Structure formats: C-alpha cells, structure tokens
C-alpha cells in the first residue's frame, strides 16, 4: 500500500509528524468530587481506542478509578482508613 | 452540525489530527531525584499551566516509582506528585519525567501548519512537539517488553491503586503498597507492587486493592 497522510517539519527541520506516527487527542476532561461516583457517555468513541485516567488533585489522597465499557466512561471513588478519596481529574484521550 | 475542516489519517488508518480534538504536545520535561526515605507524595515542579496535563515518566533500574497526582494552585496545574519505593536508609530514586498539554505551547509560527477547531482554538501547530505513542500494553503486572526503556516515557494506569498489609513484628507494623514501574533493561519495564510507607500503630491491618492487570503506554516526542 502506498503511504498517505502528512509529514510535518518544524522550523529547525526536525520531522515532528510522520506518516506512521500515532499521536493523541484529548476527548474529555473534567474534575470530579471526592467520594462521588459518576459516568458519561461519549458516543463518538465507539470503535476507537482510548486511554482513561483518574488523577488525584489532593495531596495524600486516592484518585477515582476510571474505566470504560462501550461508550460509557465511569469513575468510582476510592478510599480506605489511611487514605481519603480525592477530588480527581478524569481524562480520556483518543489514539486511533 | 457536521464536522468540517481537516482530518489527517496515518498509514495505519488512525486519525492523527482532526478539527475537533486537541493533540497533546510537550510542555516541560526534566529529571528529579525522589527521596527514598520519604513516604509522602513528592512534588515535581513543571511549568504552570491551565491546560489539562498528561504526565509520563521513565523509572530507573534500582527503585520503583509511581506518578500519583497533580497539584493545583487556583486554575493552574503546578506540580506532579510521585511516590518512591521506600528505603529507611535514604538515598535518591532518580526519574525522568515529561508533561504534555493539549493544543499548543509555543507561539503560532509564521509558516508551517496550524489547525484550529471551530472555536478558534489550536488543535495542532507545527512549532510544537507532539506526544507519539510507541506501544500500548494491557495485561498482567510483571515484565513488559517495550521499545526503548532508556529514552521513552511511560504512562501507567490505574493511577495510585493502594493496599496495606501487616508487616509482622518489623517496623512498620502495617506496610503501604502501590503499583509502579522499575526498569529491567533497555527493552523491559517491570510493573510491580512496591512498599512506599506504613504506620506503626495501625487501626486496620489489611485492606485496599491493587489490580492484577494494568495498562502501560510508552510515549516519546
């Protein structure tokens, strides 16, 4: 198959995007409250590969666990006797 | 409204750029010496940003490390938090880290390629360096083959799962564990549990959860 796509060089002549590169696009981000579970449907991610991340926004606390089922992104608060639930940043990015 | 504008497909039929979603580009990178005898979240400063960051890191071959959170000040993200494998004898756990943000960082060039979305926001600019995915692994914890553990960076999910378990008669009585990374060799990264702290007067002995599977994403620019 012949290659197609786009090659991009920066002003220094460095190739910053090649035909075979997989780069990422931010699909969703939001801050969710400590101790609160939730979900969102992102219908346009159907058939696409995503990465879902929950990141703590508070010191010494546990972030939400983020998962995907079909086109639904869910976040579940985590805590234990030593670490409270944190406000979290939920990120979903596309890489296909 | 139907989409309009530009869509770039790579040779693998994957979308690289479109006119809707912002690509992730380099904001900052560096090397930090984590403190082995510090069981708390350790701050790694990066260039302040209001844009949503993705943090990746490269572990060393001696000690485990894990990215666990982001510190904010107002609307700005200002630090990444890391945990180090604990060693009461002290010393350093050196990691390389990199931070990406969506859209663009550098000034819009006078020539090249700049792609905007319908809101007039930059989704791609040829004067920025974009995060390239080198490999994606989903499976059990353990040794994972990668392309270049000496130069690439890694995103591990889930972030900061944690469990605690009794350590017996030795201090600490209850040990805290999380899931992190350690370099094995130039083409292998280990995803493993490591101890990062504990308590000596516990109210609870065993609990928490670290999954048996993970996702490891290898990236570079």
């Amino acid at each position: 198959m012949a290659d197609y796509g786009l090659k991009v060089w920066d002003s220094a002549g460095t190739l910053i995007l090649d035909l075979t590169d997989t780069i990422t696009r931010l699909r969703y981000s939001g801050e969710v409250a400590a101790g609160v579970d939730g979900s969102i449907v992102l219908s346009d991610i159907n058939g696409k590969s995503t990465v879902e991340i929950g990141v703590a926004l508070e010191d010494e606390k546990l972030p939400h666990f983020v998962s995907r089922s079909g086109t639904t992104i869910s976040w579940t608060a985590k805590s234990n006797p030593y670490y409270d639930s944190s406000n979290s940043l939920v990120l979903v990015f596309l890489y296909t | 409204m139907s989409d309009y504008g530009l869509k770039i497909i790579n040779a693998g039929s994957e979308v690289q750029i479109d006119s809707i979603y912002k690509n992730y580009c380099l904001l900052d990178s560096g090397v930090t010496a984590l403190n082995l005898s510090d069981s708390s979240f350790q701050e790694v400063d990066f260039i302040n940003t209001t844009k949503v960051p993705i943090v990746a890191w490269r572990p060393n071959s001696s000690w485990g490390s894990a990215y666990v959170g982001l510190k904010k000040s107002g609307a700005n993200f200002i630090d990444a938090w890391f945990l180090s494998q604990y060693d009461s004898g002290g010393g350093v756990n050196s990691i390389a880290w990199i931070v990406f943000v969506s859209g663009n960082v550098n000034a819009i060039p006078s020539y090249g390629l700049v792609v905007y979305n319908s809101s007039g926001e930059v989704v791609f600019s040829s004067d920025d360096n974009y995060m390239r995915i080198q490999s994606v692994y989903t499976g059990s914890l353990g040794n994972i083959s990668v392309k270049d553990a000496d130069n690439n960076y890694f995103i591990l999910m889930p972030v900061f799962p944690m469990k605690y378990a009794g350590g017996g008669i030795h201090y600490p009585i209850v040990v805290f564990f999380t899931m992190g990374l350690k370099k094995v060799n130039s083409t292998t990264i280990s995803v493993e549990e490591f101890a990062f702290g504990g308590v000596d007067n516990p109210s609870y002995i065993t609990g928490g959860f670290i999954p048996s599977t993970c996702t490891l994403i290898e990236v570079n620019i």
Side-chain angles (χ1 to χ4, degrees), chain A residues 1 3-6 8-12 14-27 29 31 44 48 51-66 78 80-83 89-91 93-96, chain B residues 8-11 13-18 21-24 39-41 52-54 67-70 72 77 81 102 111 113 124-133 136 155 157-160 162 164 174 176 196 199 202-204 217:
Chain A
M1 182 184 75
D3 281 338
Y4 60 96
L6 182 71
V8 180
W9 288 262
D10 67 13
S11 56
T14 303
L15 185 63
I16 65 162
L17 182 68
D18 205 350
L19 303 177
T20 57
D21 286 342
T22 299
I23 60 176
T24 57
R25 292 163 293 142
L26 174 63
R27 172 59 186 90
S29 69
E31 294 188 14
D44 62 329
K48 296 183 171 67
V51 173
E52 307 83 39
I53 308 177
V55 180
L57 295 175
E58 296 180 276
D59 199 2
E60 306 293 330
K61 293 186 178 181
L62 292 174
H64 288 67
F65 178 77
V66 182
K78 297 291 184 184
N80 64 49
Y82 299 106
Y83 283 81
L89 174 67
V90 174
L91 276 176
F93 62 85
L94 297 155
Y95 64 93
T96 59
Chain B
I8 304 296
I9 311 293
N10 70 9
S13 300
E14 299 166 335
V15 176
Q16 292 177 315
I17 305 168
D18 60 27
Y21 302 125
K22 298 173 185 175
N23 294 93
Y24 266 97
S39 61
S40 60
F41 287 10
V52 177
I54 290 177
Y67 164 62
V68 292
L70 286 166
K72 290 187 78 176
F77 295 92
W81 280 312
S102 60
Y111 64 92
L113 176 70
F124 181 91
S125 170
S126 57
D127 257 17
D128 280 282
N129 295 292
Y130 285 86
M131 183 173 84
R132 307 182 201 209
I133 291 186
V136 177
I155 301 167
M157 298 175 300
V159 175
F160 192 31
M162 185 260 182
Y164 50 97
V174 165
F176 297 159
F196 68 88
V199 293
S203 301
Y204 302 89
I217 302 168

Side-chain angles (χ1 to χ4, degrees), chain A residues 28-95:
Chain A
Y28 174 82
S29 69
E31 294 188 14
V32 299
V36 178
D37 300 345
S39 65
I40 188 171
V41 175
L42 305 174
S43 56
D44 62 329
I45 65 175
N46 186 37
K48 296 183 171 67
S49 297
T50 59
V51 173
E52 307 83 39
I53 308 177
V55 180
L57 295 175
E58 296 180 276
D59 199 2
E60 306 293 330
K61 293 186 178 181
L62 292 174
H64 288 67
F65 178 77
V66 182
S67 62
R68 173 182 173 180
S69 177
T71 58
T72 301
I73 304 294
S74 301
W75 47 91
T76 305
K78 297 291 184 184
S79 64
N80 64 49
Y82 299 106
Y83 283 81
D84 291 332
S85 172
S86 174
N87 295 327
S88 298
L89 174 67
V90 174
L91 276 176
V92 179
F93 62 85
L94 297 155
Y95 64 93

